[in-house]
Every structure is written in structure tokens, then in C-alpha cells.
Amino acid sequence: MSETVRELSVQLGDRSYPIMIGEGLLEARDLTPFVTGSQVMVVTNDTVAPLYLDKARGCFPGKQVHSVILPDGEQFKEWQTLNRIFDGLLEQQHTRKTTVVALGGGVVGDMAGFAAACYQRGVPFIQIPTTLLSQVDSSVGGKTGINHPLGKNMIGAFYQPKAVLIDTRTLQTLPPREVSAGLAEIIKYGLIRDTGFLAWLEDNMEALVALQPAELAEAIYRSCACKAEVVALDEREGGIRAILNLGHTFGHAIETYAGYGNWLHGEAVGTGMLMAAELSCLEGMISRADCDRVRRLVARAGLPEKPPVGMTADDFMKLMAVDKKNVDGQLRLVLLKAVGDAFVTSDADPDNLATTFSRFCTPAA
Amino acid sequence: MSETVRELSVQLGDRSYPIMIGEGLLEARDLTPFVTGSQVMVVTNDTVAPLYLDKARGCFPGKQVHSVILPDGEQFKEWQTLNRIFDGLLEQQHTRKTTVVALGGGVVGDMAGFAAACYQRGVPFIQIPTTLLSQVDSSVGGKTGINHPLGKNMIGAFYQPKAVLIDTRTLQTLPPREVSAGLAEIIKYGLIRDTGFLAWLEDNMEALVALQPAELAEAIYRSCACKAEVVALDEREGGIRAILNLGHTFGHAIETYAGYGNWLHGEAVGTGMLMAAELSCLEGMISRADCDRVRRLVARAGLPEKPPVGMTADDFMKLMAVDKKNVDGQLRLVLLKAVGDAFVTSDADPDNLATTFSRFCTPAA
């Protein structure tokens, strides 16, 4: 095991924290050094609990450990379900010295993190992400929150964990679609600012799809390191951090159109990145060959290459207009100046945007 | 007007902000220098809206101003009502550059502030407190949040405003019970660390009860300054800030026993301070004469001196055990080492606590 353990420190001044990555860590690590009080509340869902809840409890020897098991699914990322965490904390009389632990994917992490941010105005928080997407996305950045009927992630907080533990062995039980969804975000890091990593991914995509532990640990480490660099430059998302949203504006529109939970977030981001690459090509910034290179890598990761059948340009425009990345009503998009160099613009040519939609949208039969 | 305008800067590094205090400020001040975007959402309630909403709108010339009018009352300080603020922001397509303005008392301030803290993970916030209690309490400290059926203020955030505007003229429409409730918190500042202010209050209590503008501005200024000093020393309530809770552990028990909204927060704090003074006297820290001095000042402010009839020592103990000021299960209380010198202790003698309850509790007839 030891040869594949990697550790990364996310540098945020007095809120810096470690990310520990390796195979079998859930059975090997004592997390009590990151717990200040005597109480721990593990938040998980009904898919993850039978697989890993007992192992996660084992990370906190000598502590009083309770758990809240939420229903699994993005559709439950809303207030009523969040409130079950508060119910559990209050029923078990957890004080403001309790530690909340998120055990699961991005939805569990977002909800447990937001609950930790709000419970008694903020208690410590530890993440044990068990999906590839959450390992490379939610581990860094401190974004937590829930959805509102009128928009995704509209209610939340920036809140940093005390530590993140990533056990790559948890990926063995992950459905292949979710592995692909995680790979979409991993590809994104290569595309936005790390051509070396992008080339590495082109060499190792099959090993990642086959869940080879050493390659997984490397890809997760490099993804988290890339995101940590960007976030350290811009913790509260005023500037450069926006490049992390490559593919997300198109992607959020796809997710909303399909209905929460029908398309995985990473799947929508995968298609969204292809649309962003196409628009970048039409804008004359990247070559057609670069555009194809992105498409091949996304395809090898097992990701969809088109939006849902029947989704139109109008659907996109309407759904993108309420995306929160828009400042004062302007449509802001992340595009590629080059492969490995993303930037934010409000100046995409509307004709090129229309052409992008026409090339990607498939009319209903 | 100008002779009674006072301004105070709350020092919190890059989150420092001004508190402007004076008669008629709501009609005189342009608050747009504190607004970065083009949108403003004023959150108020159905009691305050007919009196001051138009005037508050006038503080934001040239901005797109919307409003959300909540039902008035502590019982509405919960998720469903909070969500009406999010509904309003999303329905009116407010972006992350919007500014949320709280116009009203503590409940409106807590909810609007928490909504600002959570909307798109945080948008700017301005407070226009219109009750004496909220002017001297919510103006400083950044506490926001809502209640949970199992406890008051259990869900919330520390979140600082960009500015606070206090128009003492709004107190002319405040019911006398609410003036007294505000005076309870004002007395508290004298008791915890400002004997000079306490003596000033003993000289000016009748002027305050009569809502004399100059005396009100002075009392509000000195209260906010006192709280700002304590909060600057301890923004997130790890240490000295706890002295601000003088009377609050007893007070919260009274409020919960009486049912939210039946006792005003300040009324409960007033009685709670008398209980804390009594216990301090029994513990041998302050004299019986000091204890009577506190009682007289509280009585002159028009505050109740006893808990609700029928509330027993057992009721207190049970309700105080879930108070969030308790760390790891220990009952922590704020007591007086001397008049003007409060401290936190977990070591109050249980017999003296029992004697305090026996002297304050009145059996049901």
C-alpha cells in the first residue's frame, strides 16, 4: 500500500489542510488528530453506508460516533434532507465542538459541508469522498450547499475541511458511469492549465478506466494539486478560479434540462467541455486538430459527446441565463486560448455560439 | 439633526464597517457607496414595511430595488420563511453581485443576514435595524441564523455587514415593551465591562425610556462600541466574547419555556441578568447592595424581574442543558466578579444555583 500513498497540503493560511490519497487508507488511518472534541457525526447515504460506514467509524477510535444516513441522489440535495443532518445533531445533543464527517460523493459532501458551516454557526468538518468526481472536485475549494427549485447550488457557503481522506479502493464499487464522470473533471484540469498532465492522461486513460491504483492516485493527486493552486490564488471565486468552470455553463444547462440526476454532473461537464472547445475553435483560438484531440480523450473516458436528444439552442440560452457565473446579466463562458490555457470571456460571438448549438443539438425524432 | 449623529467603525481588518447613528438618518443618507452591483433586495416584515420601506428604498437612488416582506414574529425565524428570501432573489434574477438589506428588528436582521451569507455562497449585506435591541445587539458581531424546532439559533453563520444605519427616529414607533427589551441589552454592556456607562445609565434611564434622541444616540453608540471591542478581541466566540451572554443562558431557557415570541428576548435577558447577579452574590463575588443596584436599574427600564409563573428549577436545568454555550456537556454561565466585570465559569456551586432558582421561581397557583 505505502508506495501509492500521496499527500498534498492545500495552502490557505490558518485554514490549510491535508489531502491524503492512497489505496486502503480507510482501514489504515486514524483521523482523531483532526478532531478537537469528543463527538463525531458521520453523514453518508443509503448506498455508501452498507459499504463503508463501519470502516469510516473505525477512523475515529475513542470518539462518540453517530451517523445520519440520507437517501442517495441529487434530487435530495435540498433543504428537507439537509435538515435531517441538523435533526440528528440536535437529537444526539452534539455541541459546537462536534466534528461533521462527509462519507460519500459530491452530494453528501456538499450537504454535510453546508450543515457543518451552519450548525451552531460553524463546526469542524472532515471529508471522506468515495466517488472519483468528489475526490478530484469537492476535495478542494470549500464549496458547499444545496439546490433551490429555481437553480442548482444557489444556497451554500464557502467552508474548508480540516482534512480530506481519499481511499482509491472505494472506487472499486463505483458504477462505470460515475468513474467516467470523474474522469471528465480530471481531463478538465489538463485542459485548463496543465498540458503535461493532459499528455499523461492520453497515455494512461485506459489504466484509469480500469481503476489501476497507482495511476488513480497519480491522477487524483495532480487534479487536486491543480485545483488547489487555482483556489489558493482566488479563494472566493472573484477571478481566475472561474476557469475551473470550463464546460460547466453548458453542463449546468444540460443537467437542468435533463432533470436533476438523469445526467451525472461529470457527464454534463464532459459534453460541456466539448461545446466549449468547439466554440473556442470557431472563435479561432484552438485548431480543429486540438478540438478533435479533446473529443477523443473525452470519448476514451466513456463520456457522452452530445446533449440530450431534443435539447435546443433556445433551451441552452434560457437555462444558461440564470447560471450564477453570469455577472449583472452578461453571459460569461470559459473558453480555451490554447489546449492547457483556459480563460473567461463575455465576448463570445453570438453567431459562433449559435453554430456550436447547431452542431451539438440533435432534434427530437 | 447633525448634533446627534455619531459614527463608529467596527474594526475587523478587511471586513471593517461603519455604524452610523442619528435621528432622521433614514431620510438623509445615500447608502449606494456601500453597494457594488446594480441590484438591491430589501428584506423587511409586514409591521415595518408600511412605516419605513419607502424611506429605505430612498437610500439607494439609481439602483434596481426589490423587496421581500416577511410575516412579523420570532416564530417565523425558520427555514420556510427564510426560503421566501431565496425565492424572491431567484425570481427577480438577482446575481451574486446583489446586496441584501435588512430593514427591521433582530429577526429580520438574522434572517436577511443568513440569506445573504448563503445566497450563491455569500453576497453583500447592509443592516438598517429599527428596534432598540437590534440596534445595540445585531449591529455588531455578525451573528445570523434561524431557529430549529430543537433549539434557538442552531442554524446560521458568522457574516459581517458592509454598513449599519441606525435612525433613532424609528424607535418612536416601537412598542414600550420592545424599548425596555433593548434597554436590557444596553444595561448588560454596563454590567459586563463599563462601570462608567453603568453610572451614566443610572443618571439617564428616564430619558432613554422617554426616547430622548441625544441620550438614545449616546447609549446606542456606547453599547455598539463596547460590543465591537469585545468582538474584535474574539470574532468567532472562542473566548472573551462569551461575556456578552450575561443573562442569556437563563434567558434562553425562559424564552423556550414561554414559547418563542411570548417573552421578548430582551425581557428574558433582563430577568436572566438578575438571576446571574443573584448567583454571583451567592457565590460571594458581588455584594447584596450591588445585586439590588442591578435590580433597580432593570426595574427602571420597565423589565420583568421574575421568570414566568410556574417555571421550575427543573425546567431551567433541562432547557439550559441544550444551550449552545455549553461545551462538551458542561453548564457554562456568565457571572459577575464585580459590577462592570463579567467572566465565564463552569464552576458555579450547584447549591447556589438551586437557591437562585428557589428565589426566582414562582409556583403555579
Side-chain angles (χ1 to χ4, degrees), chain A residues 7 32 34 72-73 88 91 107 150 156 215 225 263 285 292 363:
Chain A
E7 185 160 337
T32 54
F34 302 102
D72 184 11
E91 283 161 7
V107 172
L150 297 176
E215 285 79 3
W263 272 54
M285 293 180 289
D292 287 341

Side-chain angles (χ1 to χ4, degrees), chain B residues 253 257 310-321 357:
Chain B
Y257 176 86
M311 186 172 180
T312 64
D314 278 355
D315 292 327
F316 269 103
M317 288 307 293
K318 204 170 137 191
L319 293 166
M320 294 195 306
F357 291 135

Side-chain angles (χ1 to χ4, degrees), chain B residues 63-82:
Chain B
K63 302 292 178 181
Q64 183 190 17
V65 183
H66 294 113
S67 59
V68 172
I69 299 175
L70 306 177
D72 184 11
E74 171 91 17
Q75 69 272 34
F76 299 109
K77 190 172 141 177
E78 45 72 64
W79 174 260
Q80 293 300 331
T81 309
L82 179 73

Side-chain angles (χ1 to χ4, degrees), chain B residues 172-185:
Chain B
Q172 301 295 336
T173 53
L174 199 65
R177 265 183 75 189
E178 295 207 34
V179 173
S180 295
L183 291 172
E185 293 281 345

